[in-house]
Amino acid sequence: SELMKIALVMALAAYYDWLPVKLKSRPLWVLLPVVLIMLPVYLVLTQPDLGTAILLVTVGGLIMFLAGVHWAYFAVVVTAGVGLVTAVLKSRGTPWQLLEDYQYRRIDTFIDPSSDPLGAGYHITQSKIALGSGGWTGRGFMQGTQSQLNFLPEKHTDFIFTTLAEELGFLGAASLLALYALIILFCIISALQQRDRFSSLLTLGLASNFFLYFAVNMSMVMGLAPVVGVPLPLVSYGGSAMLVLMIGFGLVQSAHVHRPR
């Protein structure tokens, strides 16, 4: 599923590079990339891996938008999304339940973590405590109480931003955000300098993928989004996610180096 994040961006970039501009908003030519997006999304959902599926749909939609697909299609998608969310919530406890039980518990925890502070809400409760205790400058490296005393689960993977914020404080967390912003800015500038649609869409698509990684992760640990298991790029411990991220950066660098001068 991690490699699909790169493959989908490359496939959509190649598709819109091949497709004549005048056809990009024709229904048939809009349907093809939608199918291209939904096939891997379906396979990922069967694992099940809701976090990756959400990232794939979002990145795919962003590339279609950047390619110039008419906004009316996105309005239809948003409307359908609202209907899908309603169906997901209404299906709970029925024979045709659309999500797994643990995924519904994540939604419950997102809405009210205090409803189960020692169970499903434990992660986010401890995460908020750690974030708040860091203050402006943090407790000091390796001095965080929530992380070092093992109150905070998954402190080296999905919740590593919480550990960083507790030990280095708001200033440390803001510094990490600034570094992420510089990477995104480089990608945008590089994409604007490209002369072919493939390189431009590839760079912007990979930048969007990178942005969604840290945006979803940070929102998750701050309680602004349900816990979906998305790592923090370049910081979280992990093999496949880091490998895919490095492949993406390599593609961006290659497109930048070979851009017309």
Side-chain angles (χ1 to χ4, degrees), residues 6 10 186-187 190-191 193-196 198-200 202-204 206 245-261:
I6 299 290
M10 295 183 68
F186 169 81
C187 292
S190 178
Q193 294 175 346
Q194 303 295 339
R195 294 293 182 266
D196 63 290
F198 175 77
S199 298
S200 179
L202 176 67
T203 302
L204 290 174
L206 293 173
L245 196 61
M246 291 296 103
I247 292 173
F249 284 153
L251 291 171
V252 170
Q253 291 280 25
S254 178
H256 181 74
V257 168
H258 294 94
R259 72 191 187 282
R261 298 180 184 275

Side-chain angles (χ1 to χ4, degrees), residues 44-120:
V44 170
L45 282 174
T46 58
Q47 291 186 355
D49 187 351
L50 183 61
T52 299
I54 292 173
L55 289 179
L56 289 175
V57 170
T58 307
V59 169
L62 282 172
I63 294 177
M64 293 179 67
F65 177 78
L66 293 170
V69 176
H70 197 275
W71 64 268
Y73 292 103
F74 298 98
V76 172
V77 171
V78 170
T79 304
V82 172
L84 179 61
V85 170
T86 303
V88 166
L89 297 177
K90 293 291 186 181
S91 69
R92 186 174 188 176
T94 65
W96 48 279
Q97 182 171 298
L98 297 177
L99 296 181
E100 300 291 335
D101 288 336
Y102 78 91
Q103 292 171 329
Y104 282 108
R105 287 195 295 272
R106 285 181 175 180
I107 296 174
D108 292 338
T109 303
F110 166 63
I111 296 172
D112 184 15
S114 62
S115 61
D116 189 10
L118 298 179

Side-chain angles (χ1 to χ4, degrees), residues 20-217:
V21 175
K22 63 181 180 180
L23 297 178
K24 62 187 178 184
S25 292
R26 300 283 178 86
L28 175 62
W29 301 105
V30 172
L31 180 62
L32 290 176
V34 170
V35 173
L36 191 63
I37 294 169
M38 295 313 296
L39 281 176
V41 167
Y42 171 76
L43 294 175
V44 170
L45 282 174
T46 58
Q47 291 186 355
D49 187 351
L50 183 61
T52 299
I54 292 173
L55 289 179
L56 289 175
V57 170
T58 307
V59 169
L62 282 172
I63 294 177
M64 293 179 67
F65 177 78
L66 293 170
V69 176
H70 197 275
W71 64 268
Y73 292 103
F74 298 98
V76 172
V77 171
V78 170
T79 304
V82 172
L84 179 61
V85 170
T86 303
V88 166
L89 297 177
K90 293 291 186 181
S91 69
R92 186 174 188 176
T94 65
W96 48 279
Q97 182 171 298
L98 297 177
L99 296 181
E100 300 291 335
D101 288 336
Y102 78 91
Q103 292 171 329
Y104 282 108
R105 287 195 295 272
R106 285 181 175 180
I107 296 174
D108 292 338
T109 303
F110 166 63
I111 296 172
D112 184 15
S114 62
S115 61
D116 189 10
L118 298 179
Y122 182 79
H123 285 67
I124 193 62
T125 300
Q126 296 300 321
S127 178
K128 287 181 176 180
I129 292 172
L131 286 169
S133 65
W136 282 96
T137 57
R139 291 178 173 271
F141 183 63
M142 301 293 288
Q143 300 300 314
T145 55
Q146 299 301 113
S147 55
Q148 299 305 317
L149 297 178
N150 293 324
F151 287 106
L152 183 66
E154 307 299 336
K155 61 183 179 182
H156 62 296
T157 54
D158 295 349
F159 283 81
I160 197 167
F161 180 72
T162 305
T163 303
L164 183 146
E166 183 186 24
E167 296 183 358
L168 303 182
F170 175 81
L171 295 178
S175 299
L176 179 63
L177 273 174
L179 293 174
Y180 283 159
L182 286 175
I183 294 175
I184 298 294
L185 181 62
F186 169 81
C187 292
I188 293 174
I189 293 174
S190 178
L192 293 175
Q193 294 175 346
Q194 303 295 339
R195 294 293 182 266
D196 63 290
R197 286 168 61 81
F198 175 77
S199 298
S200 179
L201 289 174
L202 176 67
T203 302
L204 290 174
L206 293 173
S208 300
N209 198 13
F210 177 73
F211 169 78
L212 288 171
Y213 257 111
F214 71 79
V216 171
N217 179 275

Side-chain angles (χ1 to χ4, degrees), residues 8-18 63 197-198 201-202:
L8 181 62
V9 171
M10 295 183 68
L12 290 174
Y15 174 79
Y16 282 109
D17 181 54
W18 164 81
I63 294 177
R197 286 168 61 81
F198 175 77
L201 289 174
L202 176 67

Side-chain angles (χ1 to χ4, degrees), residues 223-237:
L224 301 177
V227 178
V228 291
V230 175
L232 187 65
L234 302 176
V235 182
S236 290
Y237 173 85

